[in-house]
Amino acid sequence: MAEAERILNDRQPDKVIIFGGDCSITQVPFDYLKSKYTDKLGILWLDAHPDVAGPKDSSHLHEMVLANLLGQNPCSNITKVKHPFKPNEVMFAGLIEEDLRKMDKTCKKLNLKIASPEELAESSQPILNWIEENSIEYLAVHWDLDVLSPTDFRAILTAMPYMDLGCFPAAVGRMTLNEIGRILNDISEKTEIVGLGIAEHMPWDAINLRNVLSGISIFND
C-alpha cells in the first residue's frame, strides 16, 4: 500500500487500472482518485460481498476496504484514508443481501445503494439512475470477480475444483460475465471510468497445471 501510494503520487495519473490480489488493492488507488476528482467521483462496487467490516469484526483488510474508503475505520494508518467517500457516492451492484453476515451490516446502517443480481440481469438502469441522481461525472469501479457465478466464470475462488458450495461461508456470486460487460459499457456512456480494480482472480486450471508440472524432472533440470 505504501509503495502504491508512492507511485501514484509520483506519476500523478488521471486514470488507474489495478489487477490481481484481494479486494484491498483498490483502497489506495481510489483514495488517490478521490483527491483528484473530489465530489465528482463515485464508486461502483461490483461484488457479492460488501467489504464493510471493521477491526472488531474481522482481521482481514479485504473485508473492510470499502468501510475504510467510507471513513469508517480511522483507527490505524492501514485502515485510514485521506479522502473518504460519502455514502451516496457508493453503490453496490450484484450484492446478495439475503446472505449478509453480521460484519456486513454497515452497508445497511449507512443506507448504501444496492442493486441485486436479479435487478441487473436485463438492464443497467438502477446504476444509471444512481449516477444521474448524484451527479456523478467520474467512476472508480471495484470489480471483485466473485460477483460472477462459478458456473459462468471458472477463474474465481468459488469455482475451485470439487468445492462443495453448500459449505462456502459467504455469498456465492450470481452474475454473468456478459452482464458485467454490458454494465461497464452502459455506465461508460453516462460517466467516465477513471479507476478499475479487478480483484480475486483465481485461475485454478493454470495454478493446478503449474503445480503438477513443477514436480516433473524435466522442468527442474
Side-chain angles (χ1 to χ4, degrees):
M1 291 172 70
E3 180 64 6
E5 184 176 18
R6 185 194 67 77
I7 292 170
L8 291 168
N9 289 335
D10 180 55
R11 301 188 182 182
Q12 289 291 307
D14 293 326
K15 298 182 179 181
V16 183
I17 298 172
I18 319 102
F19 182 80
D22 64 31
C23 286
S24 65
I25 61 170
T26 53
Q27 179 172 313
V28 169
F30 285 11
D31 190 18
Y32 162 82
L33 289 169
K34 182 63 169 174
S35 72
K36 183 173 287 288
Y37 295 102
T38 63
D39 60 358
K40 298 178 181 179
L41 179 70
I43 292 178
L44 180 63
W45 205 263
L46 295 165
D47 202 331
H49 318 106
D51 299 333
V52 290
K56 293 182 180 179
D57 304 310
S58 174
S59 60
H60 302 138
L61 187 61
H62 69 89
E63 292 179 332
M64 59 182 84
V65 56
L66 183 55
N68 298 343
L69 286 165
L70 285 160
Q72 296 295 299
N73 299 324
C75 54
S76 75
N77 289 332
I78 294 174
T79 57
K80 183 178 180 178
V81 300
K82 297 177 181 177
H83 309 94
F85 288 76
K86 300 173 185 174
N88 68 295
E89 295 171 336
V90 174
M91 180 173 182
F92 291 110
L95 183 70
I96 301 174
E97 288 189 72
E98 62 266 29
D99 289 337
L100 290 176
R101 300 157 294 179
K102 182 180 177 181
M103 71 172 69
D104 302 329
K105 297 302 182 180
T106 296
C107 68
K108 305 298 287 186
K109 182 181 75 173
L110 295 178
N111 198 31
L112 299 174
K113 186 73 173 178
I114 298 171
S116 69
E118 291 71 30
E119 290 177 283
L120 298 170
E122 301 295 334
S123 172
S124 309
Q125 199 59 48
I127 301 172
L128 302 180
N129 292 343
W130 165 74
I131 290 171
E132 183 175 354
E133 290 165 4
N134 293 279
S135 302
I136 293 170
E137 298 181 26
Y138 305 96
L139 264 183
V141 179
H142 172 94
W143 182 7
D144 183 344
L145 290 172
D146 73 12
V147 75
L148 299 169
S149 164
T151 60
D152 181 79
F153 189 76
R154 306 298 299 167
I156 52 178
L157 177 61
T158 52
M160 183 173 69
Y162 310 111
M163 175 182 283
D164 180 0
L165 289 178
C167 297
F168 193 70
V172 176
R174 298 204 289 254
M175 299 196 71
T176 69
L177 190 59
N178 285 339
E179 288 168 355
I180 298 296
R182 182 248 302 155
I183 288 170
L184 294 176
N185 279 306
D186 287 349
I187 63 177
S188 295
E189 295 180 3
K190 290 289 187 179
T191 186
E192 185 175 1
I193 298 175
V194 294
L196 176 61
I198 302 175
E200 306 208 9
H201 183 232
M202 296 291 288
W204 292 112
D205 290 341
I207 293 169
N208 292 334
L209 180 62
R210 181 187 185 278
N211 289 340
V212 168
L213 294 179
S214 67
I216 299 173
S217 60
I218 191 172
F219 290 99
N220 296 296
D221 289 342

